[in-house]
């Protein structure tokens, strides 16, 4: 990442004046910073934007063959690679990096750099499936061909348990959480073994790598490609 890009984005929000960008002043009143208009997209760019209320802010890259299902949002500074699907109610945050041929499923949230915690954006590498209602935040890196099951939440403060290798994957002071290539991650829990919580059977959320991609997993993802 280029730090000066983030600084420029933040400066743009401070410098920009609020202007009327409404399609219809009464039915759809919109007011936003003059420095960040909606991105101009034409048919020859090869981006499919299905009617229904999606927005793509200027200052981002959207590759050829990207499909945008309504309503979804791509924020300033983001990169969305060729052939990626951004499904309904999904958010691609500011400066988030999404690779080629990914599927960002319905209601998934991909964090950017403007959140209060962490200066690094989320990086999703090529051929990743991000399941519905997932949240990927605070500079998490998801390596190529990984699969995030429905409802998985990834951030710096929650370690991932790798069931296959019997190990925890955690962030450090200098590095974010990194999901290994081809990992299949589901939402799980681990028991609190100490203190009063143990007596009450309390458990806390933990994402779990249950396996790494195999032929069966690939067959399911091929079905996703056919539906695009």
């Amino acid at each position: 990442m280029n730090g000066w890009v983030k600084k420029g984005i933040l400066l743009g929000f401070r410098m920009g004046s609020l202007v009327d960008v409404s399609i219809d002043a009464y039915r759809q009143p919109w007011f936003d910073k003059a420095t960040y208009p909606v991105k101009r997209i034409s048919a020859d760019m090869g981006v499919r934007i299905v009617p229904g209320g999606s927005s793509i802010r200027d200052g981002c890259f959207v590759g050829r063959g990207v499909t945008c299902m309504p309503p979804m949002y791509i924020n300033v500074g983001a990169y969305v690679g060729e052939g990626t699907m951004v499904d309904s109610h999904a958010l691609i945050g500011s400066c988030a990096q999404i690779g080629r041929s990914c599927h960002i499923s319905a209601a998934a949230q991909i964090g950017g750099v403007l959140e209060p915690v962490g200066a690094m954006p989320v990086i999703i590498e090529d051929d990743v499936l991000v399941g519905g209602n997932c949240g990927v935040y605070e500079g998490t890196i998801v390596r190529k061909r990984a699969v995030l099951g429905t409802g998985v939440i990834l951030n710096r403060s929650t370690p991932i348990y790798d069931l296959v290798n019997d190990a925890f994957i955690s962030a450090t002071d200098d590095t974010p959480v990194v999901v290994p290539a081809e990992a299949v991650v589901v939402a799980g829990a681990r028991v609190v073994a100490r203190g009063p919580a143990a007596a009450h059977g309390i458990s806390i959320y933990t994402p779990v790598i249950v396996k790494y991609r195999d032929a069966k997993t690939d067959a399911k993802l091929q079905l996703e490609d056919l539906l695009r």
Side-chain angles (χ1 to χ4, degrees):
M1 288 302 300
N2 298 314
W4 62 270
V5 173
K6 177 189 174 184
K7 292 178 181 178
I9 290 171
L10 294 172
L11 183 63
F13 280 111
R14 292 198 175 194
M15 293 178 59
S17 58
L18 199 62
V19 295
D20 188 343
V21 292
S22 304
I23 294 176
D24 184 294
Y26 296 98
R27 296 180 180 178
Q28 290 184 315
W30 295 346
F31 301 89
D32 200 4
K33 295 296 182 101
T35 42
Y36 294 112
V38 174
K39 186 177 182 67
R40 291 180 178 270
I41 295 179
S42 58
D44 60 1
M45 294 173 66
V47 177
R48 179 185 170 203
I49 304 178
V50 179
S54 297
S55 288
I56 302 174
R57 221 169 197 164
D58 202 9
C60 65
F61 173 83
V62 181
R64 180 170 292 276
V66 168
T67 298
C68 302
M69 298 299 292
M72 61 95 241
Y73 188 78
I74 301 175
N75 209 347
V76 59
Y79 181 103
V80 182
E82 296 179 358
T84 285
M85 162 79 81
V86 184
D87 217 332
S88 302
H89 297 279
L91 166 68
I92 309 298
S94 55
C95 289
Q97 308 291 288
I98 312 295
R100 299 186 190 92
S101 302
C102 294
H103 189 134
I104 311 302
S105 298
Q109 305 288 296
I110 308 300
V113 298
L114 301 183
E115 287 76 10
V117 180
M120 290 293 293
V122 171
I123 298 175
I124 308 290
E125 294 188 351
D126 297 343
D127 299 302
V128 170
L129 171 61
V130 179
N133 289 292
C134 284
V136 188
Y137 308 111
E138 297 171 10
T140 298
I141 298 175
V142 182
R143 297 294 188 196
K144 63 182 182 180
R145 288 173 48 82
V147 176
L148 306 184
T150 301
V152 168
I153 305 296
L154 301 175
N155 56 42
R156 290 185 61 85
S157 60
T158 307
I160 302 169
Y161 177 61
D162 187 340
L163 182 65
V164 178
N165 298 303
D166 188 21
F168 279 97
I169 300 171
S170 304
T172 68
D173 291 340
D174 301 317
T175 60
V177 171
V178 180
V179 177
E182 302 195 336
V184 179
V185 187
V186 301
R190 54 180 170 142
V191 174
V192 177
R194 299 179 181 178
H200 296 291
I202 301 298
S203 61
I204 57 176
Y205 168 75
T206 301
V208 178
I209 297 174
V210 291
K211 66 175 185 176
Y212 287 80
R213 280 178 65 161
D214 52 24
K216 186 176 180 180
T217 307
D218 289 340
K220 290 181 179 179
L221 297 184
Q222 286 173 6
L223 176 61
E224 295 283 354
D225 291 335
L226 292 173
L227 294 174
R228 294 188 184 185

